[in-house]
Amino acid sequence: MGGIYEVGALAALDEAIAGFQLVDSDIFVGVSSGSLLAAALANGIAPAQLAHMLVENDAEEVFDPEMLLRPAFGEYCARALALPPLVWSALLHYLSNPWQYGLFESFQRLSQAIPTGVFDNRGIDRILRKLFSSQGRTNDFRQLKHRLFLVTTDLDSGESVAFGSAGHAAVPISTAVQASAALPGLFPPVRIDGRHYVDGALIKTLHASVALKEGAELVFCINPLVPFDAELAAHRKAGQRHHLNDGGLPVVLSQTFRAIIHSRMRVGMDRYKHQYGNADVVLFEPTRDDAEMFFTNVFSYRDRRRLCEHAYQQTRRDLYRRRHELRPILARHGLDLDVPILKDHRRSLLAGDQGRQIWLRSTTDALDESLDELQRWLATRQPA
């Protein structure tokens, strides 16, 4: 879901910066699902093309998220084969001294037979190997025209590892993407050169410091996961407040994960200001009341289209709303916002009636928000 949102946001950012395309950036850093997008951008695949690959079914190259729902049968079998020896070992441990060792204590070692992941993520590697091996692209970090860093977490040490950096550039890009997006519990750790790697977001959220240490002076960050504020959403839309507890465990876990991610990210953003005072780090993310982002079913084709278009329109609105803040920042680096493009409310990322409907709803929301701002401003101008 975060990756789909990022594609829409990237497309809006790509067209809004006058005279510059994101694929021409010097450095790309990807974490978790963002690693797939960073690898694609580094290979010259523009955000608009990515949108068609991820959400359209008429593109020549299609990445279907449902591929991520295939059970990890290999992992299941490996763990099942380990069960009989573990049962025998636990039984011997208990019988050796039943008065000293409790039954549950002895059989606790059976937890080693629990699979480390529910779904099989090897399809990511297969699809990206094919994608990056055609049309002048590459699956080798060392052959890219631009620098690419895909951040993972070394499971045994708990340390962050940026594939693409010195000493970690021989790994295929597709395998590094698979490792960076291996969320523990959902996907098994990825074995690379005798070590196991999992999702890079476990240590930090953005890892913008990877680019800053390489000398980046202007860094665009997209964080798609923010905690949902049900009270704010109900107030803005004048609707019924959502009680997230009613959504069951998946919704509760989603909110918890977002809250942890977001709090760490804010700490990191403050640290960047102090450690890299000469660089500009610009963050784009959904609003806290964005129910469209929080409740979307990413495995629904219709919802993927809607979310991608929604992210595109929301980011366009954010760019226009922050134009007075952003234009001086961009000017320091010889760039500027294309304000006429941002003011063109007829623009839509996805073709068809659905794209136009999403654009119309987004335009209506923008008008409502502008009227609210005007009303608040008028209230402050009222004489005492």
Side-chain angles (χ1 to χ4, degrees):
M1 181 170 58
I4 297 292
Y5 187 94
E6 288 174 1
V7 170
L10 285 168
L13 189 60
D14 196 43
E15 69 176 18
I17 303 177
F20 178 73
Q21 301 297 313
L22 289 182
V23 293
D24 296 327
S25 301
D26 297 308
I27 302 170
F28 298 92
V29 179
V31 186
S32 196
S33 62
S35 63
L36 187 155
L37 308 182
L41 290 171
N43 264 290
I45 303 176
Q49 187 178 356
L50 272 172
H52 287 279
M53 289 171 54
L54 288 166
V55 302
E56 298 281 18
N57 60 2
D58 58 351
E60 293 181 0
E61 299 167 314
V62 179
F63 184 90
D64 188 355
E66 291 186 7
M67 171 201 65
L68 301 175
L69 285 179
R70 295 171 182 170
F73 289 119
E75 176 71 7
Y76 299 165
C77 292
R79 298 291 168 170
L81 291 174
L83 187 58
L86 288 173
V87 172
W88 180 247
S89 174
L91 184 60
L92 290 177
H93 183 267
Y94 174 70
L95 293 176
S96 64
N97 194 339
W99 304 111
Q100 179 179 357
Y101 302 119
L103 181 64
F104 290 104
E105 177 186 355
S106 297
F107 280 84
Q108 185 180 6
R109 63 188 63 192
L110 296 183
S111 62
Q112 299 176 34
I114 299 175
T116 56
V118 178
F119 303 113
D120 188 352
N121 57 356
R122 290 177 298 177
I124 296 177
D125 191 7
R126 289 194 300 269
I127 288 181
L128 294 186
R129 280 179 185 271
K130 180 179 178 182
L131 178 66
F132 296 152
S133 299
S134 61
Q135 303 181 24
R137 303 165 189 160
T138 180
N139 199 33
D140 190 329
F141 285 98
R142 298 161 295 186
Q143 295 181 10
L144 289 169
K145 297 178 181 178
H146 310 279
R147 284 174 288 177
L148 171 65
F149 302 95
L150 304 180
V151 183
T152 65
T153 302
D154 187 318
L155 186 62
D156 292 318
S157 68
E159 299 293 329
S160 293
V161 174
F163 286 111
S165 61
H168 298 283
V171 176
I173 294 173
S174 57
T175 305
V177 171
Q178 179 190 354
S180 182
L183 185 64
L186 285 183
F187 305 110
V190 178
R191 183 180 175 88
I192 300 175
D193 295 334
R195 303 190 69 84
H196 292 87
Y197 297 91
V198 294
D199 198 308
L202 295 187
I203 306 299
K204 288 193 297 183
T205 304
L206 288 175
H207 290 276
S209 57
V210 175
L212 293 168
K213 290 176 181 178
E214 292 293 320
E217 298 175 350
L218 173 63
V219 181
F220 296 116
C221 301
I222 299 180
N223 169 51
L225 300 180
V226 299
F228 179 65
D229 189 329
E231 185 173 349
L232 179 61
H235 175 73
R236 288 274 179 90
K237 301 297 181 180
Q240 185 177 2
R241 179 178 175 179
H242 293 278
H243 293 284
L244 299 187
N245 184 66
D246 297 339
L249 181 62
V251 172
V252 172
L253 288 178
S254 176
Q255 179 76 331
T256 302
F257 182 72
R258 290 163 181 262
I260 294 173
I261 288 287
H262 202 255
S263 62
R264 292 188 314 179
M265 186 206 64
R266 286 298 177 186
V267 172
M269 290 294 290
D270 292 336
R271 187 181 299 119
Y272 299 148
K273 293 179 182 178
H274 296 291
Q275 292 183 347
Y276 305 96
N278 296 326
D280 291 306
V281 182
V282 185
L283 175 66
F284 299 94
E285 59 183 5
T287 57
R288 294 286 301 272
D289 62 334
D290 194 339
E292 186 87 16
M293 174 61 184
F294 189 82
F295 293 103
T296 288
N297 175 11
V298 72
F299 295 103
S300 163
Y301 168 71
R302 181 186 62 186
D303 285 0
R304 291 205 303 272
R305 286 178 52 90
R306 186 169 67 242
L307 177 60
C308 193
E309 180 71 28
H310 171 75
Y312 170 78
Q313 298 293 352
Q314 286 287 94
T315 306
R316 281 171 47 81
R317 287 172 54 189
D318 188 28
L319 285 163
Y320 184 74
R321 184 168 53 244
R322 297 166 60 188
R323 63 192 183 280
H324 300 301
E325 164 202 347
L326 295 175
R327 295 188 78 176
I329 295 175
L330 294 174
R332 288 198 288 269
H333 306 278
L335 302 173
D336 194 12
L337 279 181
D338 196 327
V339 177
I341 283 183
L342 294 176
K343 293 174 68 174
D344 183 1
H345 299 302
R346 297 169 299 178
R347 284 182 171 265
S348 174
L349 176 59
L350 303 176
D353 293 336
Q354 188 179 42
R356 285 190 289 271
Q357 290 172 6
I358 298 170
W359 159 79
L360 180 60
R361 185 169 67 247
S362 178
T363 302
T364 304
D365 290 344
L367 178 59
D368 290 341
E369 185 176 309
S370 298
L371 290 174
D372 288 342
E373 290 180 358
L374 177 60
Q375 187 175 6
R376 288 193 293 269
W377 181 82
L378 289 174
T380 62
R381 307 292 294 178
Q382 293 289 340

